[in-house]
């Protein structure tokens, strides 16, 4: 169950190399909208690495989920 101040956004990406760049843009744009751009550089790099690994090793679609709750940010790949 989502809390009062929680926001959740997800994107499913195809198993192709360009998905890493799409994931970077997705989280960077989202963090800017959420006024959390201070974390965008590190989060974008980590998401890119995780999506690249998922594409290379799992070969399946990749879901990126971003959650923001008061005082916390969580990104799942």
């Amino acid at each position: 169950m989502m809390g009062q101040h929680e926001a959740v956004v997800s994107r499913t990406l195809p198993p192709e190399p360009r998905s890493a760049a799409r994931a970077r843009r997705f989280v960077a744009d989202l963090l800017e909208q959420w006024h959390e751009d201070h974390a965008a550089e590190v989060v974008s790099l980590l998401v890119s690495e995780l999506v690249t690994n998922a594409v290379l090793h799992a070969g399946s679609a990749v879901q990126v989920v971003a959650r923001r709750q008061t005082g916390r940010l969580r990104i799942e790949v």
Side-chain angles (χ1 to χ4, degrees):
M1 183 163 126
M2 289 194 319
Q4 275 184 320
H5 303 291
E6 185 175 22
V8 180
V9 180
S10 68
R11 170 125 341 134
T12 301
L13 302 165
E16 57 190 35
R18 74 178 89 162
S19 288
R22 289 178 179 159
R24 274 194 310 273
R25 279 192 304 275
F26 167 65
V27 297
D29 291 347
L30 188 58
L31 293 179
E32 184 178 345
Q33 290 173 19
W34 285 349
H35 305 289
E36 299 282 356
D37 21 0
H38 62 277
E41 186 176 344
V42 172
V43 171
S44 295
L45 175 63
L46 294 173
V47 165
S48 178
E49 289 294 317
L50 291 171
V51 169
T52 298
N53 286 343
V55 168
L56 289 175
H57 300 293
S60 62
V62 180
Q63 185 176 30
V64 179
V65 180
R67 298 175 189 275
R68 184 182 76 166
Q69 192 172 22
T70 306
R72 293 193 298 207
L73 179 65
R74 179 182 176 122
I75 309 292
E76 303 168 5
V77 176

